[in-house]
Amino acid sequence: MNINAIIFDVDGTLADTEEAHRQSFNRAFLESNLSWNWDVPLYNKLLKVTGGKERIKYYVETFMPMFQKPEKYDDFVKNLHILKTTHYTNMLKSGLIPFRPNIKRLIADAKKSGIRLAIATTTSPENVTALLEQEYGKEYEAIFEVIGSGDIVPQKKPAPDIYTWVLEKMNLNAANCIALEDSENGLKSGVAAGIKTFITTNQYTHKQDFTGAAAIFEDLSNHNLEKLYHIAGLNIK
Ligand code: XBP
Ligand code: MG
């Protein structure tokens, strides 16, 4: 089967962003006079839930059951998440979070070979725009044909919804695509959508269960990138 498209996850795949997310959550909590602080070990546990708003609710239910929920709890969580996203996009705009090594080479090689590119992510759309503009300026709009992100689908990863949404938008069969992910949730989502999914690990995900991955790479160093091309059947020269 020919590979006509590569669909990229964002957080942990295009760039190591989760540390910046974690710090942004904590800044939002502080500014909201909440004594919550997500340290790295706790954040690692909370990452099992995708989506910032869903993660905050999971934290309250699981770790803060005595928290007096405000009357309009959903609005409270939404506003807290808006504050967090402002901090996060400011961190991105300050150029603090570069793309992971060789991701741009993979994107450039694929583009040159006529392979279509898209994004399927759980993160909020403004986060994707801020990261891509930081890296490519407005040029990103010509690089990624479709961007599926955040609340655009009813169920976030590990549900397949976001990948299915991207496939439909691109009018593509799953068999003609590959996905690049970093997490167990992302792998489950891609596989459930019928897409051959590759994993690059990072500090938050390297101990997760990647059963079903087409291949697992610690990073996309040159030899790993060539290996990915070969396993994926990408005839990129
Ligand atoms: C990772 C996520 C996101 C981010 C936080 O998304 O699960 O929730 O952790 O971003 P992906 P938001 O790996 O699919 O790119 O607070 O905007 O959700
Ligand atoms: Mg990810």
Side-chain angles (χ1 to χ4, degrees):
M1 274 285 196
N2 265 351
I3 297 300
N4 303 329
I6 303 177
I7 307 174
F8 292 86
D9 165 53
V10 173
D11 292 304
T13 301
L14 287 185
D16 266 329
T17 55
E18 287 301 349
E19 199 34 31
H21 281 298
R22 183 183 73 84
Q23 291 169 23
S24 303
F25 279 109
N26 286 334
R27 283 189 195 164
F29 301 153
L30 193 64
E31 274 180 27
S32 308
N33 300 315
L34 292 163
S35 60
W36 305 347
N37 182 57
W38 291 356
D39 62 17
V40 171
L42 173 58
Y43 195 62
N44 219 344
K45 291 187 188 127
L46 297 175
L47 274 174
K48 70 187 266 188
V49 173
T50 62
K53 294 187 287 296
E54 296 79 355
R55 194 168 299 145
I56 292 169
K57 289 184 176 175
Y58 171 70
Y59 168 70
V60 171
E61 268 105 63
T62 314
F63 297 92
M64 303 297 280
M66 306 307 284
F67 176 64
Q68 289 298 314
K69 290 180 185 171
E71 207 176 294
K72 293 187 177 163
Y73 182 54
D74 280 355
D75 288 348
F76 162 80
V77 170
K78 200 162 154 232
N79 293 330
L80 196 52
H81 191 250
I82 289 168
L83 190 56
K84 173 262 173 182
T85 301
T86 306
H87 283 298
Y88 178 71
T89 48
N90 287 338
M91 284 181 83
L92 287 176
K93 286 169 192 159
S94 58
L96 284 172
I97 308 159
F99 268 29
R100 291 185 70 183
N102 262 349
I103 278 280
K104 285 185 88 170
R105 193 191 127 196
L106 170 57
I107 290 167
D109 289 351
K111 201 74 192 159
K112 236 183 296 168
S113 307
I115 289 170
R116 299 165 67 187
L117 303 177
I119 281 180
T121 175
T122 303
T123 198
S124 308
E126 50 272 56
N127 295 347
V128 184
T129 308
L131 179 70
L132 295 181
E133 278 189 355
Q134 183 54 36
E135 209 57 50
Y136 292 106
K138 280 292 179 201
E139 176 59 26
Y140 82 87
E141 292 170 341
I143 297 171
F144 298 99
E145 195 175 320
V146 167
I147 295 179
S149 62
D151 299 332
I152 204 160
V153 287
Q155 293 191 82
K156 293 188 167 111
K157 300 173 184 175
D161 301 35
I162 195 70
Y163 277 105
T164 308
W165 186 90
V166 168
L167 289 173
E168 281 165 11
K169 281 282 174 203
M170 297 180 81
N171 193 21
L172 275 171
N173 285 326
N176 297 118
C177 302
I178 61 170
L180 190 59
E181 273 282 354
D182 71 305
S183 69
E184 186 177 337
N185 278 327
L187 173 62
K188 284 178 178 163
S189 179
V191 168
I195 301 171
K196 192 191 279 186
T197 303
F198 293 79
I199 290 289
T200 61
T201 59
N202 54 61
Q203 66 174 81
Y204 277 110
T205 65
H206 69 284
K207 289 191 183 131
Q208 292 181 358
D209 177 3
F210 296 122
T211 308
I216 302 163
F217 303 113
E218 263 178 36
D219 61 29
L220 285 180
S221 48
N222 283 329
H223 71 276
N224 279 338
L225 201 51
E226 305 309 332
K227 216 183 283 178
L228 187 148
Y229 294 158
H230 176 72
I231 300 167
L234 290 167
N235 49 2
I236 286 180
K237 291 288 163 265

